[in-house]
Amino acid sequence: MSTSVTEAPARSDVRRGRLRLDGVRKVLGGKEVVSSVDLETEPGEFLTLLGPSGCGKTTTLNMVAGHLTADGGVIEVDGRDITAVPPHRRSMGMVFQSYALFPHMTVAENVAFGLRMRKVPAADRRRQVAEMLELVGLDGMADRHPGRLSGGQQQRAALARALVVQPDLLLLDEPFSNLDAQLRVRLREEVAALQRRIGTTTILVTHDQEEALAVSDRIAVMADGVIHQLDRPREIYLRPGTDFVARFIGEVNAIEGTAAGPVADGYACTVAGETVAATPAGDPPAAGEAVRLYVRPEVVRISTDGAQGLRGTVRETRFLGSRIRCVVATPAGEVTAALPFDARVPAVGEEVTCAWRPSDASLAAR
Amino acid sequence: MAAVGRVAGGSLNRSGRRTGLLLALPAILIFALLFVAPLCTLVANSFRTQTGAFTLDNYQRFLGDPFYRDVLWNTLKVAALTTIGCLVVGYPFALYLRGRSPRVRNWLALLLLSPLLISMVIRAYGWLVVLGPQGPVAAVIEWFGLTPPQLLYNDTAVLIGMVHVMLAYMVLPLMGSLDRIDRTLVPAARGLGASGWTCFWRITLPLSAPGMLAGAMIVFSLTASSFVTPAILGGPKVKLMPYFVYTQATVTLDWPYAAAIGFVLVVVTTGLLLAYSRLLRRGGGEVVFG
Ligand SMILES: Nc1ncnc2c1ncn2[C@@H]1O[C@H](COP(=O)(O)OP(=O)(O)OP(=O)(O)O)[C@@H](O)[C@H]1O
Ligand SMILES: [Mg+2]
C-alpha cells in the first residue's frame, strides 16, 4: 500500500486521547477481516474510518472499544497498552449504529449510567447529566424513555451518554445512517462542531464519502481489512494513492502513462505523446515505469489556446446545475471535466486541451 | 393466562377494530364455551346443598377447617417453589441458549420440550424409578457412604417432578424475551464501565422481566392445579387442593363441596397473579395481566 501520511492538525489545547494501532489483526469465522491495521491519531483529532460495507470498520472499532480482542498487534491510548484490557476498564465513549439506548431507563438515567458506574455522587451526577443534555439540545427530554424519542433525539441521547464520562476517545459507528438525508447532514455538522468545541479525539466509522470529507480532520480509507490511505480529506480526494481510493471516493479520470521524471511542481509523465504532470502518491516512480494518473473532473481545465496538456475533441457537454459536465475524447481515452457554471462551454467537436495543476492530481505505479 | 401480552401502541381505526373482533370471534366463542360456561356452573354449584338449595355452607366448611387451610397453603407453597425452581434452572439455560447457533438451539429446545411429549403418568413413574430406594440417585448417595434420605412421597419429590414438566413453560417465554433484547445493549453498558455482573443485573435481567413474568404465571397456575404428577410422586402424604377436589367429586360424591374447593383455588391463584403482576408493573415491567 502506498500510504502518504500528512501530519494531522495538532490541537495545542488537547493533551489526551492519542490512539495508536500497530499491526492489529482480527480473524472472524475463519476469515481475516482485519489484517495488519496501523493507525495513529493526534489528541483532539477527528479521524474517520471510511470504507465499503464489510471491510472491517466495525470490527476495528470494536477492538478499540474492547468488545473484540485483537488476534495480533498492539492498541495503545496515550502510550498505555490496552490490547488486553476489558471494555469496562477502558475509557471509551461509543455511539452504536442502533444507538443502543437502554429502553427501560429514561434519557437522564441513560446518560447517568456511566457516571453511576464511576460512582459519581448523586448531586454531581444530576448536574453533569443536565449540562450534557443541554449541550446536545435535549433539555426537557430528561424524563422520557428512548422509545418516545425521534431518531435524531435518540442519536443525541446516545452521544450525551458517551460524552458525559469524558472518555479518552469518542467512537462513532455509522451514527447518522438511520436518519433521513436532511437530518443526517444537520446532525453531522452539529457533532463535528461539538467535537471541535470539547476536543475529544473521535473515530467515526462510515461508508459515506461525503460525510467523511465533510467532518474529518483525516480519513483512513479501508478495504478488505487494510487501510489503503490515511490523509486529510483534500489529499484523499485530490490525490488518491490507490485505484480503490480513487474509485471509491467520487468520479475520477484514471489515465495511463509512463513516468518521465521530477519537475518543479510535481512529476512529469508521458501520456499518448504529451507531457503532463501530477504529484506522486507514495515514493516517486523510476523513469520509464508504467504509471496511472488520477485526475478529478473538478480540477480539469479546458482551453482552446493550444496550452500544454492532453489534446482531444469535445464529445459531449451537459448542464448539471452546479456544474457543466464535459467529456473530451483524447488519445489516452475519455477525460471528463466538471466545469464551473460560468465557464465558457466548448462546442461539441471542438479541439481542446485538458490541463490541471500537478498538485491537484496524483500518480501511482500501475 | 389469556391476557398476557405487550401493550400495543396507538389505536386502530373503527373498521380495523371490527375486523379484529371478527377474527377473534372463534377464539372468543371457544373460550366462552369451554372455559367461562363451566366456570359459571362451578360457581353456581358451589353455593348449593346436595339437594340444590342455596347455601354458604361449603365455603364456611372450607375456610373454617384448619386442615383445609393448611392444604391451600401447601398447594400455594408447592406452586411457588416450583416456579422458583423453574426460574433458577431455566434462566441460566435460556441465557445459555441465547448465545448458541440456531442448530444447537433447536436441539436443546427439543430436549427441553421432550418431557411434554411423554404421557404425564409414564413420566411420573420414571421419576419413581429414578428417585426410588433402588434407583440411581440412592445408589450414588450410598456410594459416598451416606444413607439416602426419603426421596419419594414428599414435597421434594413433587417439586423435582413438577420442575421437570414445567421447565419448558418457563424457558420458552424467557427465550422470547431475551431474544428481543438488542444485542448491543450489553456492549454499550460495558463500554460505560459496567462489569459483566452489573450488565446482567441492570440490563439483561430487567429487560427479560416480561418473559419471567409470563413464565412464572404459567408455571404457577399450572402447578397449583396439577393433579397427576403430585398424586404419583407425592402419594397420600402430600396434600394438595386438586387431590381433594378429585376425592370429593369421585369418592365422597359431594359435588358442591368439590366445586367450592375448586373455586377457592381459582380465586386465590388469580388474586395472587394479579397482585404479582401489579407489583412488577409498578417496577417498570411492560406486561399487563387482567
Ligand atoms: N461474528 C462474526 N463471524 C464471522 N464473520 C464476521 C463476524 N462479524 C463480522 N464478520 C465479517 O467480517 C467482515 C467485516 O465486518 P464488519 O462488521 O467489521 O464490517 P463493516 O466494515 O463494519 O461493514 P458495514 O458497513 O456493513 O457495517 C464482514 O465480511 C463480516 O461478514
Ligand atoms: Mg459496521
Side-chain angles (χ1 to χ4, degrees):
Chain A
M1 278 319 109
S2 59
T3 307
S4 76
V5 177
T6 315
E7 280 301 296
R11 281 191 54 143
S12 52
D13 54 326
V14 181
R15 304 248 175 280
R16 213 159 57 100
R18 181 190 296 275
L19 171 72
R20 201 170 73 85
L21 303 190
D22 187 5
V24 170
R25 290 171 55 244
K26 183 72 196 176
V27 177
L28 285 174
K31 198 176 136 251
E32 188 167 69
V33 296
V34 172
S35 11
S36 191
V37 161
D38 301 324
L39 191 89
E40 187 165 351
T41 68
E42 288 300 320
E45 186 178 8
F46 196 126
L47 187 130
T48 297
L49 280 179
L50 171 67
S53 188
C55 73
K57 307 180 296 284
T58 299
T59 308
T60 307
L61 204 66
N62 276 330
M63 284 191 283
V64 174
H67 303 312
L68 288 174
T69 317
D71 289 330
V74 176
I75 304 174
E76 278 180 7
V77 172
D78 296 328
R80 198 159 28 93
D81 184 348
I82 57 160
T83 319
V85 175
H88 64 289
R89 302 242 169 74
R90 300 185 184 192
S91 176
M92 306 283 169
M94 184 150 172
V95 175
F96 292 78
Q97 189 167 355
S98 60
Y99 310 135
L101 292 168
F102 308 130
H104 56 307
M105 301 182 194
T106 63
V107 169
E109 285 165 349
N110 265 279
V111 177
F113 189 88
L115 297 175
R116 206 181 266 275
M117 293 301 118
R118 283 163 177 74
K119 310 234 174 339
V120 175
D124 287 351
R125 209 161 63 209
R126 264 195 301 278
R127 183 179 47 76
Q128 289 180 39
V129 168
E131 278 172 14
M132 191 44 76
L133 286 180
E134 197 185 321
L135 192 65
V136 299
L138 275 185
D139 27 352
M141 302 280 175
D143 295 326
R144 290 222 201 158
H145 279 266
R148 304 234 185 283
L149 296 181
S150 72
Q153 289 166 340
Q154 287 182 31
Q155 213 263 331
R156 288 161 204 253
L159 194 65
R161 187 179 68 176
L163 283 176
V164 78
V165 296
Q166 303 185 334
D168 289 342
L169 291 167
L170 176 62
L171 309 176
L172 308 170
D173 190 0
E174 313 231 7
F176 311 112
S177 62
N178 286 334
L179 306 170
D180 66 61
Q182 271 190 343
L183 193 60
R184 185 154 54 212
V185 172
R186 208 177 81 208
L187 270 175
R188 84 177 182 217
E189 299 307 335
E190 279 183 26
V191 168
L194 185 66
Q195 193 272 341
R196 248 132 244 174
R197 189 134 56 97
I198 59 177
T200 307
T201 309
T202 300
I203 313 284
L204 168 74
V205 158
T206 183
H207 58 254
D208 182 337
Q209 316 84 288
E210 192 197 304
E211 185 175 301
L213 292 170
V215 299
S216 322
D217 290 323
R218 285 191 305 164
I219 299 172
V221 183
M222 234 183 139
D224 292 327
V226 238
I227 293 183
H228 276 230
Q229 191 171 358
L230 172 60
D231 222 325
R232 296 184 194 187
R234 188 184 161 86
E235 272 68 33
I236 291 276
Y237 188 73
L238 294 179
R239 301 214 286 254
T242 71
D243 219 50
F244 174 80
V245 177
R247 292 176 204 283
F248 184 65
I249 303 173
E251 202 183 351
V252 74
N253 294 299
I255 302 163
E256 308 206 331
T258 314
V263 288
D265 49 356
Y267 195 95
C269 39
T270 318
V271 175
E274 306 280 353
T275 299
V276 292
T279 307
D283 298 329
E289 210 178 321
V291 294
R292 191 175 281 138
L293 283 82
Y294 299 107
V295 189
R296 298 286 174 198
E298 292 86 352
V299 307
V300 177
R301 300 278 171 270
I302 291 206
S303 57
T304 48
D305 53 8
Q308 200 187 12
L310 266 184
R311 263 183 263 280
T313 318
V314 175
R315 159 88 35 96
E316 177 191 323
T317 62
R318 205 172 285 279
F319 179 70
L320 295 176
S322 62
R323 294 258 142 188
I324 297 157
R325 191 182 147 88
C326 175
V327 181
V328 180
T330 73
E334 284 191 346
V335 172
T336 304
L339 307 174
F341 77 99
D342 56 351
R344 192 190 79 82
V345 182
V348 173
E350 200 173 342
E351 293 288 321
V352 295
T353 306
C354 302
W356 52 84
R357 280 209 300 268
S359 60
D360 289 345
S362 70
L363 120 183
R366 249 188 279 162
Chain B
M1 278 308 97
V4 179
R6 300 192 130 226
V7 190
S11 62
L12 295 165
N13 59 31
R14 276 181 71 180
S15 84
R17 205 173 297 164
R18 195 165 318 142
T19 316
L21 191 68
L22 223 63
L23 286 171
L25 204 60
I28 293 173
L29 281 178
I30 289 176
F31 188 70
L33 211 68
L34 298 183
F35 182 73
V36 179
L39 194 66
C40 292
T41 324
L42 181 88
V43 175
N45 265 341
S46 70
F47 287 106
R48 290 207 185 103
T49 61
Q50 293 269 34
T51 53
F54 177 83
T55 177
L56 289 175
D57 216 32
N58 294 318
Y59 288 98
Q60 270 159 11
R61 199 172 133 202
F62 183 90
L63 298 172
D65 189 336
F67 175 79
Y68 279 111
R69 286 206 304 267
D70 212 45
V71 169
L72 176 61
W73 172 241
N74 198 42
T75 307
L76 298 178
K77 195 183 78 187
V78 167
L81 286 175
T82 304
T83 309
I84 292 168
C86 284
L87 206 54
V88 169
V89 179
Y91 203 103
F93 188 65
L95 266 185
Y96 174 78
L97 282 184
R98 186 183 185 220
R100 297 310 116 193
S101 67
R103 231 172 67 96
V104 175
R105 275 175 75 125
N106 284 344
W107 280 108
L108 288 176
L110 192 70
L111 192 72
L112 180 73
L113 288 172
S114 61
L116 303 179
L117 303 176
I118 312 165
S119 144
M120 280 205 254
V121 179
I122 294 173
R123 196 176 45 225
Y125 277 108
W127 277 112
L128 278 187
V129 173
V130 172
L131 299 176
Q134 262 81 51
V137 177
V140 168
I141 295 173
E142 266 165 20
W143 188 81
F144 280 107
L146 304 165
T147 347
Q150 174 66 27
L151 290 169
L152 279 177
Y153 310 123
N154 55 24
D155 284 1
T156 315
V158 175
L159 211 61
I160 292 173
M162 286 314 295
V163 169
H164 181 218
V165 192
M166 292 296 156
L167 198 57
Y169 294 108
M170 180 60 86
V171 173
L172 291 180
L174 258 178
M175 277 170 70
S177 226
L178 286 171
D179 276 342
R180 273 197 299 270
I181 302 178
D182 178 350
R183 280 178 185 262
T184 55
L185 293 186
V186 167
R190 298 271 299 175
L192 290 165
S195 65
W197 266 110
T198 312
C199 288
F200 176 74
W201 286 111
R202 289 189 173 260
I203 311 293
T204 312
L205 195 69
L207 287 175
S208 61
M212 280 197 284
L213 174 62
M217 283 179 170
I218 299 170
V219 171
F220 185 87
S221 42
L222 285 183
T223 307
S225 58
S226 65
F227 173 70
V228 175
T229 306
I232 296 174
L233 292 176
K237 275 204 304 198
V238 177
K239 299 188 169 53
L240 298 174
M241 297 277 280
Y243 174 77
F244 287 94
V245 178
Y246 174 77
T247 46
Q248 289 300 330
T250 60
V251 182
T252 327
L253 293 179
D254 189 347
W255 283 46
Y257 191 45
I261 301 176
F263 191 59
V264 167
L265 184 60
V266 170
V267 169
V268 172
T269 320
T270 314
L272 279 176
L273 291 183
L274 274 173
Y276 170 62
S277 152
R278 188 77 31 98
L279 206 74
L280 275 201
R281 192 160 10 145
R282 199 173 317 146
E286 271 188 279
V287 157
V288 234
F289 173 79

